[in-house]
Short mmCIF file of all heavy atoms in Angstrom, two decimals:
data_model
loop_
_atom_site.label_atom_id
_atom_site.label_comp_id
_atom_site.label_asym_id
_atom_site.label_seq_id
_atom_site.Cartn_x
_atom_site.Cartn_y
_atom_site.Cartn_z
N THR A 1 -3.31 17.78 -5.44
CA THR A 1 -2.13 17.55 -4.60
C THR A 1 -1.82 16.06 -4.51
O THR A 1 -2.67 15.27 -4.07
CB THR A 1 -2.35 18.11 -3.19
OG1 THR A 1 -2.72 19.50 -3.28
CG2 THR A 1 -1.09 17.97 -2.35
N PRO A 2 -0.62 15.64 -4.89
CA PRO A 2 -0.28 14.21 -4.80
C PRO A 2 -0.23 13.72 -3.35
O PRO A 2 0.27 14.42 -2.47
CB PRO A 2 1.11 14.13 -5.44
CG PRO A 2 1.21 15.35 -6.31
CD PRO A 2 0.44 16.41 -5.57
N ILE A 3 -0.77 12.53 -3.14
CA ILE A 3 -0.76 11.89 -1.82
C ILE A 3 0.03 10.58 -1.92
O ILE A 3 -0.25 9.74 -2.78
CB ILE A 3 -2.18 11.57 -1.33
CG1 ILE A 3 -2.99 12.84 -1.11
CG2 ILE A 3 -2.14 10.72 -0.06
CD1 ILE A 3 -2.57 13.65 0.10
N VAL A 4 1.02 10.45 -1.04
CA VAL A 4 1.83 9.23 -0.96
C VAL A 4 1.59 8.60 0.40
O VAL A 4 1.78 9.25 1.44
CB VAL A 4 3.32 9.55 -1.15
CG1 VAL A 4 4.16 8.29 -0.99
CG2 VAL A 4 3.58 10.19 -2.51
N LEU A 5 1.16 7.34 0.41
CA LEU A 5 0.98 6.62 1.68
C LEU A 5 2.30 5.99 2.08
O LEU A 5 2.98 5.36 1.26
CB LEU A 5 -0.06 5.51 1.54
CG LEU A 5 -1.54 5.85 1.55
CD1 LEU A 5 -2.34 4.57 1.76
CD2 LEU A 5 -1.90 6.87 2.60
N MET A 6 2.66 6.13 3.34
CA MET A 6 3.86 5.48 3.87
C MET A 6 3.42 4.46 4.92
O MET A 6 2.66 4.78 5.84
CB MET A 6 4.79 6.52 4.50
CG MET A 6 6.08 5.95 5.07
SD MET A 6 5.88 5.35 6.75
CE MET A 6 7.56 5.10 7.25
N GLY A 7 3.85 3.23 4.76
CA GLY A 7 3.47 2.20 5.72
C GLY A 7 4.35 0.97 5.62
O GLY A 7 5.46 1.01 5.07
N TYR A 8 3.83 -0.13 6.15
CA TYR A 8 4.59 -1.37 6.26
C TYR A 8 3.80 -2.53 5.65
O TYR A 8 2.58 -2.43 5.45
CB TYR A 8 4.92 -1.64 7.73
CG TYR A 8 5.91 -0.63 8.29
CD1 TYR A 8 5.47 0.59 8.80
CD2 TYR A 8 7.27 -0.88 8.28
CE1 TYR A 8 6.36 1.53 9.29
CE2 TYR A 8 8.18 0.05 8.78
CZ TYR A 8 7.72 1.26 9.27
OH TYR A 8 8.61 2.19 9.74
N CYS A 9 4.51 -3.61 5.36
CA CYS A 9 3.93 -4.73 4.63
C CYS A 9 2.78 -5.42 5.35
O CYS A 9 1.80 -5.82 4.72
CB CYS A 9 5.01 -5.78 4.34
SG CYS A 9 6.06 -5.42 2.94
N ASN A 10 2.91 -5.58 6.66
CA ASN A 10 1.97 -6.43 7.38
C ASN A 10 0.51 -6.00 7.21
O ASN A 10 -0.34 -6.82 6.86
CB ASN A 10 2.35 -6.49 8.87
CG ASN A 10 1.48 -7.44 9.66
OD1 ASN A 10 0.42 -7.06 10.12
ND2 ASN A 10 1.92 -8.68 9.80
N PRO A 11 0.17 -4.72 7.43
CA PRO A 11 -1.24 -4.32 7.23
C PRO A 11 -1.71 -4.51 5.79
O PRO A 11 -2.87 -4.88 5.56
CB PRO A 11 -1.24 -2.83 7.62
CG PRO A 11 -0.06 -2.67 8.52
CD PRO A 11 0.98 -3.61 7.97
N ILE A 12 -0.82 -4.26 4.82
CA ILE A 12 -1.19 -4.44 3.41
C ILE A 12 -1.43 -5.91 3.11
O ILE A 12 -2.39 -6.27 2.41
CB ILE A 12 -0.09 -3.86 2.50
CG1 ILE A 12 -0.03 -2.34 2.68
CG2 ILE A 12 -0.35 -4.21 1.04
CD1 ILE A 12 1.14 -1.67 1.97
N ASP A 13 -0.57 -6.77 3.64
CA ASP A 13 -0.71 -8.20 3.40
C ASP A 13 -2.01 -8.73 4.01
O ASP A 13 -2.72 -9.53 3.41
CB ASP A 13 0.50 -8.93 3.99
CG ASP A 13 0.58 -10.38 3.53
OD1 ASP A 13 0.35 -10.64 2.32
OD2 ASP A 13 0.85 -11.27 4.36
N ARG A 14 -2.34 -8.24 5.20
CA ARG A 14 -3.58 -8.66 5.85
C ARG A 14 -4.81 -8.14 5.09
O ARG A 14 -5.82 -8.83 4.99
CB ARG A 14 -3.61 -8.17 7.30
CG ARG A 14 -2.65 -8.90 8.23
CD ARG A 14 -2.65 -8.28 9.62
NE ARG A 14 -3.96 -8.37 10.25
CZ ARG A 14 -4.38 -9.39 10.98
NH1 ARG A 14 -3.59 -10.44 11.16
NH2 ARG A 14 -5.58 -9.38 11.52
N PHE A 15 -4.71 -6.94 4.55
CA PHE A 15 -5.81 -6.35 3.79
C PHE A 15 -6.00 -7.09 2.46
O PHE A 15 -7.13 -7.24 1.98
CB PHE A 15 -5.46 -4.87 3.52
CG PHE A 15 -6.61 -4.03 3.05
CD1 PHE A 15 -7.35 -3.26 3.94
CD2 PHE A 15 -6.94 -3.97 1.71
CE1 PHE A 15 -8.39 -2.46 3.50
CE2 PHE A 15 -7.98 -3.17 1.26
CZ PHE A 15 -8.72 -2.41 2.16
N GLY A 16 -4.88 -7.56 1.92
CA GLY A 16 -4.86 -8.19 0.60
C GLY A 16 -4.24 -7.23 -0.39
O GLY A 16 -4.83 -6.18 -0.66
N PRO A 17 -3.03 -7.52 -0.92
CA PRO A 17 -2.33 -6.56 -1.78
C PRO A 17 -3.13 -6.07 -2.98
O PRO A 17 -3.16 -4.87 -3.26
CB PRO A 17 -1.08 -7.34 -2.22
CG PRO A 17 -0.85 -8.32 -1.11
CD PRO A 17 -2.21 -8.72 -0.64
N GLU A 18 -3.81 -6.99 -3.67
CA GLU A 18 -4.58 -6.57 -4.84
C GLU A 18 -5.77 -5.70 -4.42
O GLU A 18 -6.02 -4.63 -5.00
CB GLU A 18 -5.08 -7.80 -5.61
CG GLU A 18 -5.81 -7.44 -6.89
CD GLU A 18 -6.18 -8.66 -7.72
OE1 GLU A 18 -5.98 -9.80 -7.23
OE2 GLU A 18 -6.69 -8.47 -8.84
N LYS A 19 -6.47 -6.14 -3.40
CA LYS A 19 -7.62 -5.37 -2.89
C LYS A 19 -7.16 -4.00 -2.39
O LYS A 19 -7.82 -2.98 -2.62
CB LYS A 19 -8.28 -6.17 -1.77
CG LYS A 19 -9.45 -5.46 -1.09
CD LYS A 19 -9.94 -6.29 0.09
CE LYS A 19 -11.00 -5.53 0.90
NZ LYS A 19 -11.39 -6.29 2.12
N PHE A 20 -6.01 -3.97 -1.70
CA PHE A 20 -5.49 -2.72 -1.18
C PHE A 20 -5.17 -1.74 -2.31
O PHE A 20 -5.52 -0.55 -2.22
CB PHE A 20 -4.23 -2.97 -0.35
CG PHE A 20 -3.44 -1.71 -0.08
CD1 PHE A 20 -3.92 -0.76 0.80
CD2 PHE A 20 -2.23 -1.48 -0.73
CE1 PHE A 20 -3.21 0.42 1.03
CE2 PHE A 20 -1.52 -0.33 -0.51
CZ PHE A 20 -2.00 0.62 0.37
N CYS A 21 -4.50 -2.19 -3.36
CA CYS A 21 -4.13 -1.28 -4.45
C CYS A 21 -5.37 -0.73 -5.15
O CYS A 21 -5.41 0.45 -5.51
CB CYS A 21 -3.21 -2.00 -5.45
SG CYS A 21 -1.54 -2.28 -4.81
N ARG A 22 -6.39 -1.58 -5.33
CA ARG A 22 -7.63 -1.08 -5.92
C ARG A 22 -8.26 -0.02 -5.03
O ARG A 22 -8.70 1.03 -5.49
CB ARG A 22 -8.62 -2.23 -6.14
CG ARG A 22 -8.28 -3.16 -7.29
CD ARG A 22 -9.52 -3.96 -7.71
NE ARG A 22 -10.13 -4.67 -6.59
CZ ARG A 22 -9.85 -5.92 -6.25
NH1 ARG A 22 -8.96 -6.61 -6.93
NH2 ARG A 22 -10.46 -6.49 -5.23
N ALA A 23 -8.30 -0.30 -3.73
CA ALA A 23 -8.93 0.63 -2.78
C ALA A 23 -8.13 1.93 -2.68
O ALA A 23 -8.71 3.02 -2.60
CB ALA A 23 -9.05 -0.03 -1.41
N ALA A 24 -6.80 1.83 -2.69
CA ALA A 24 -5.96 3.02 -2.60
C ALA A 24 -6.16 3.91 -3.82
O ALA A 24 -6.28 5.14 -3.71
CB ALA A 24 -4.49 2.62 -2.46
N ALA A 25 -6.22 3.30 -5.01
CA ALA A 25 -6.43 4.08 -6.23
C ALA A 25 -7.80 4.75 -6.21
O ALA A 25 -7.94 5.92 -6.58
CB ALA A 25 -6.28 3.18 -7.45
N ARG A 26 -8.82 4.02 -5.77
CA ARG A 26 -10.16 4.59 -5.70
C ARG A 26 -10.22 5.77 -4.73
O ARG A 26 -10.93 6.75 -4.95
CB ARG A 26 -11.19 3.54 -5.29
CG ARG A 26 -11.50 2.51 -6.37
CD ARG A 26 -12.80 1.77 -6.06
NE ARG A 26 -12.76 1.05 -4.80
CZ ARG A 26 -12.43 -0.22 -4.67
NH1 ARG A 26 -12.07 -0.93 -5.74
NH2 ARG A 26 -12.44 -0.81 -3.50
N ALA A 27 -9.46 5.66 -3.64
CA ALA A 27 -9.46 6.73 -2.63
C ALA A 27 -8.75 7.97 -3.12
O ALA A 27 -9.00 9.07 -2.60
CB ALA A 27 -8.81 6.22 -1.35
N GLY A 28 -7.85 7.83 -4.10
CA GLY A 28 -7.11 8.98 -4.59
C GLY A 28 -5.66 9.01 -4.19
O GLY A 28 -5.00 10.05 -4.27
N VAL A 29 -5.12 7.87 -3.76
CA VAL A 29 -3.70 7.75 -3.45
C VAL A 29 -2.92 7.71 -4.77
O VAL A 29 -3.36 7.13 -5.75
CB VAL A 29 -3.42 6.48 -2.61
CG1 VAL A 29 -1.92 6.24 -2.44
CG2 VAL A 29 -4.12 6.58 -1.26
N ASP A 30 -1.73 8.32 -4.76
CA ASP A 30 -0.90 8.36 -5.97
C ASP A 30 0.34 7.47 -5.88
O ASP A 30 0.80 6.96 -6.90
CB ASP A 30 -0.45 9.79 -6.24
CG ASP A 30 -1.64 10.72 -6.41
OD1 ASP A 30 -2.32 10.60 -7.44
OD2 ASP A 30 -1.89 11.54 -5.51
N GLY A 31 0.89 7.33 -4.70
CA GLY A 31 2.11 6.54 -4.55
C GLY A 31 2.16 5.85 -3.21
O GLY A 31 1.45 6.21 -2.27
N LEU A 32 3.04 4.83 -3.13
CA LEU A 32 3.19 4.04 -1.92
C LEU A 32 4.66 3.97 -1.52
O LEU A 32 5.52 3.72 -2.37
CB LEU A 32 2.68 2.61 -2.14
CG LEU A 32 1.27 2.44 -2.71
CD1 LEU A 32 1.02 0.97 -3.06
CD2 LEU A 32 0.23 2.95 -1.72
N ILE A 33 4.92 4.19 -0.24
CA ILE A 33 6.24 3.91 0.33
C ILE A 33 6.03 2.77 1.32
O ILE A 33 5.35 2.94 2.34
CB ILE A 33 6.82 5.13 1.06
CG1 ILE A 33 7.04 6.28 0.08
CG2 ILE A 33 8.13 4.76 1.75
CD1 ILE A 33 7.46 7.58 0.75
N VAL A 34 6.56 1.61 0.99
CA VAL A 34 6.44 0.44 1.87
C VAL A 34 7.84 0.14 2.36
O VAL A 34 8.66 -0.46 1.65
CB VAL A 34 5.82 -0.76 1.14
CG1 VAL A 34 5.56 -1.90 2.12
CG2 VAL A 34 4.51 -0.35 0.45
N VAL A 35 8.13 0.59 3.57
CA VAL A 35 9.50 0.64 4.07
C VAL A 35 10.17 -0.72 4.10
O VAL A 35 11.35 -0.86 3.78
CB VAL A 35 9.51 1.26 5.49
CG1 VAL A 35 10.92 1.28 6.05
CG2 VAL A 35 8.94 2.66 5.44
N ASP A 36 9.43 -1.75 4.49
CA ASP A 36 10.03 -3.07 4.67
C ASP A 36 9.74 -4.01 3.51
O ASP A 36 9.74 -5.23 3.67
CB ASP A 36 9.57 -3.70 5.99
CG ASP A 36 8.05 -3.75 6.14
OD1 ASP A 36 7.35 -3.11 5.32
OD2 ASP A 36 7.57 -4.42 7.06
N LEU A 37 9.56 -3.46 2.30
CA LEU A 37 9.35 -4.28 1.11
C LEU A 37 10.59 -4.18 0.23
O LEU A 37 10.75 -3.22 -0.53
CB LEU A 37 8.12 -3.80 0.34
CG LEU A 37 7.77 -4.59 -0.93
CD1 LEU A 37 7.31 -6.00 -0.57
CD2 LEU A 37 6.70 -3.87 -1.74
N PRO A 38 11.50 -5.17 0.30
CA PRO A 38 12.70 -5.11 -0.53
C PRO A 38 12.36 -5.39 -1.99
O PRO A 38 11.33 -6.01 -2.29
CB PRO A 38 13.58 -6.24 0.04
CG PRO A 38 12.61 -7.19 0.66
CD PRO A 38 11.46 -6.37 1.15
N PRO A 39 13.20 -4.95 -2.93
CA PRO A 39 12.93 -5.18 -4.35
C PRO A 39 12.72 -6.65 -4.70
O PRO A 39 11.92 -6.97 -5.58
CB PRO A 39 14.18 -4.63 -5.04
CG PRO A 39 14.72 -3.61 -4.09
CD PRO A 39 14.41 -4.14 -2.71
N GLU A 40 13.41 -7.53 -3.98
CA GLU A 40 13.28 -8.96 -4.26
C GLU A 40 11.88 -9.49 -3.96
O GLU A 40 11.48 -10.54 -4.46
CB GLU A 40 14.31 -9.75 -3.44
CG GLU A 40 15.74 -9.55 -3.87
CD GLU A 40 16.34 -8.25 -3.37
OE1 GLU A 40 15.67 -7.55 -2.56
OE2 GLU A 40 17.47 -7.92 -3.77
#
């Protein structure tokens, strides 16, 4: 079953974006919705 995390930039930035993506992939997350992250 695909799992998509929905959240906001601040916790990810504090965690560390690279570290967070590695940890999310290891946990079994498939996708991310970061509401306040504009394409720019």
Side-chain angles (χ1 to χ4, degrees):
T1 305
I3 295 289
V4 177
L5 282 195
M6 181 275 192
Y8 292 85
C9 280
N10 185 274
I12 294 172
D13 192 43
R14 288 175 62 88
F15 195 96
E18 184 175 6
K19 177 185 173 186
F20 165 72
C21 288
R22 287 199 306 267
R26 288 197 300 266
V29 172
D30 301 289
L32 307 172
I33 297 173
V34 186
V35 178
D36 54 349
L37 181 68
E40 291 79 7

